[in-house]
């Protein structure tokens, strides 16, 4: 008997006397159907992939949606200005005055002269214009109100100057020797044995001579800096500094010697 390899007759001969329930028999028996299904499914997938560029041309353009998704920006217009109320009436027009038309003199023949220029006596006390106008002698004379004119605003100089570049330095009434006497008289030295040193302070001498912005740059402890501030706050007014002939604020710094009584 001639076998057809394209049919399943040869399977029965190969598996004769063997266990046909084994998986190999079923696989070979359904091999042709499985191969056919695979070819069909593969062909469908291949056709779909090839046709993607063609299908993409029929899809709507995404730019239209992008335009629809754009946000609308609201622009606020400035409010309309309301007409000003209770405005004074406009001034009356100035009265008409006599005006004589000015004719530019031109060198020409006598027969070509159309209009002669005015004589000197005709333009005395009259305006010169492009046409002749008769004034109104009975009109009321109006004079524009005179303003106050711009005022010069002088800005006050509140800068703090340094003693190194000031023309007139601030000074204590009676001199610095009298100032140190005032400090020595009013300064209460802490009761601390062997306390000795200098307290460096700075302050601003104002235009009226008062002392402000008092600061301790360096002290020797035991409340010496705090006591120096207290004394300077009770200090009489100084003679202020001057720059360009005007009183100005000046930064001043000095040391105060401290020595406890033995």
């Amino acid at each position: 008997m001639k076998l057809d390899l394209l049919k399943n007759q040869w399977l029965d001969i190969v598996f004769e006397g063997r266990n046909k329930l084994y998986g190999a028999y079923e696989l070979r028996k359904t091999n042709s159907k499985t191969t056919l299904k695979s070819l069909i499914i593969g062909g469908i997938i291949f056709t779909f992939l090839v046709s993607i560029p063609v299908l993409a041309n029929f899809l709507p353009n995404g730019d239209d949606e992008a335009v629809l998704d754009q946000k609308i920006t609201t622009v606020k217009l400035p409010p309309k200005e309301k007409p000003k109320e209770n405005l004074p009436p406009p001034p009356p027009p100035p009265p008409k005055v006599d005006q004589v038309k000015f004719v530019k003199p031109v060198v020409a023949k006598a027969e070509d002269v159309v209009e002669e220029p005015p004589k000197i006596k005709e333009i005395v006390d009259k305006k010169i214009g492009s046409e002749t106008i008769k004034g109104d002698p009975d009109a009321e004379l109006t004079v524009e109100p005179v303003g106050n004119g711009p005022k010069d605003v002088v800005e006050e100089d509140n800068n703090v100057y340094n003693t190194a570049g000031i023309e007139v330095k601030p000074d204590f009434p009676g001199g610095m020797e009298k100032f140190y006497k005032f400090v020595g008289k009013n300064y209460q030295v802490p009761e601390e044995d062997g306390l000795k040193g200098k307290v460096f302070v700075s302050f601003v001498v104002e235009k009226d001579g008062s002392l402000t912005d008092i600061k301790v740059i360096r002290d020797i402890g035991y409340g010496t800096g705090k006591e120096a501030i207290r004394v300077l706050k009770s200090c009489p007014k100084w003679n202020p500094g001057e720059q360009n002939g005007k009183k100005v604020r000046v930064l001043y710094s000095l040391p105060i010697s401290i020595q406890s009584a033995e």
Side-chain angles (χ1 to χ4, degrees):
M1 181 179 64
K2 188 177 181 180
L3 293 177
D4 189 356
L5 295 178
L6 297 178
K7 297 182 179 180
N8 292 334
Q9 295 177 355
W10 63 276
L11 289 175
D12 295 333
I13 297 174
V14 173
F15 282 90
E16 185 178 358
R18 298 182 181 183
N19 185 9
K20 294 183 179 181
L21 297 178
Y22 187 65
Y25 177 78
E26 291 295 327
L27 288 175
R28 285 171 172 77
K29 186 177 182 180
T30 59
N31 182 43
S32 58
K33 295 181 180 180
T34 305
T35 302
L36 182 60
K37 289 181 180 179
S38 300
L39 289 174
I40 294 173
I41 295 173
I44 294 173
I45 295 174
F46 177 78
T47 304
F48 176 75
L49 294 176
V50 172
S51 60
I52 286 178
V54 179
L55 296 175
N57 296 330
F58 294 97
L59 295 177
N61 194 356
D63 295 338
D64 298 337
E65 297 181 0
V67 174
L68 296 177
D69 291 339
Q70 291 180 355
K71 294 184 179 179
I72 300 175
T73 304
T74 304
V75 179
K76 293 185 179 180
L77 298 176
K80 295 183 178 179
E81 294 184 359
K82 295 182 179 180
K84 296 182 179 179
E85 300 178 355
N86 301 326
L87 293 177
K96 294 182 179 180
V97 296
D98 291 342
Q99 178 175 296
V100 178
K101 181 179 180 181
F102 176 75
V103 180
K104 186 177 180 180
V106 179
V107 178
K109 296 180 181 180
E111 59 271 15
D112 296 336
V113 176
V114 179
E115 189 175 8
E116 295 184 356
K119 299 178 181 179
I120 299 298
K121 65 179 181 179
E122 295 178 355
I123 61 175
V124 176
D125 300 330
K126 295 182 177 63
K127 292 176 63 178
I128 303 299
S130 59
E131 59 181 349
T132 302
I133 300 175
K134 184 66 176 176
D136 186 4
D138 299 329
E140 183 180 356
L141 180 63
T142 59
V143 180
E144 292 291 333
V146 179
N148 296 326
K151 296 181 179 180
D152 295 334
V153 180
V154 180
E155 295 183 359
E156 187 177 1
D157 187 4
N158 288 322
N159 296 325
V160 178
Y161 291 83
N162 197 294
T163 54
I166 199 73
E167 293 178 356
V168 179
K169 296 181 180 181
D171 191 17
F172 188 80
M176 293 304 296
E177 185 177 352
K178 192 172 182 179
F179 169 76
Y180 280 113
K181 287 183 179 180
F182 167 81
V183 174
K185 182 179 178 181
N186 293 273
Y187 193 94
Q188 298 178 4
V189 181
E191 297 179 358
E192 187 70 25
D193 295 337
L195 183 62
K196 185 178 181 181
K198 291 183 179 181
V199 177
F200 292 87
V201 295
S202 68
F203 50 85
V204 175
V205 181
E206 297 290 341
K207 298 178 183 179
D208 61 352
S210 60
L211 305 185
T212 61
D213 199 18
I214 303 172
K215 296 179 181 179
V216 175
I217 302 175
R218 190 180 68 188
D219 62 6
I220 55 177
Y222 303 101
T224 54
K226 185 177 181 181
E227 178 63 14
I229 294 176
R230 185 193 68 82
V231 174
L232 291 177
K233 285 184 177 180
S234 63
C235 180
K237 290 186 176 182
W238 288 42
N239 298 321
E242 294 184 9
Q243 185 75 4
N244 297 326
K246 296 181 180 179
K247 295 179 180 180
V248 293
R249 305 172 68 203
V250 181
L251 178 65
Y252 206 98
S253 59
L254 51 81
I256 299 176
S257 299
I258 306 297
Q259 185 174 0
S260 61
E262 297 180 357

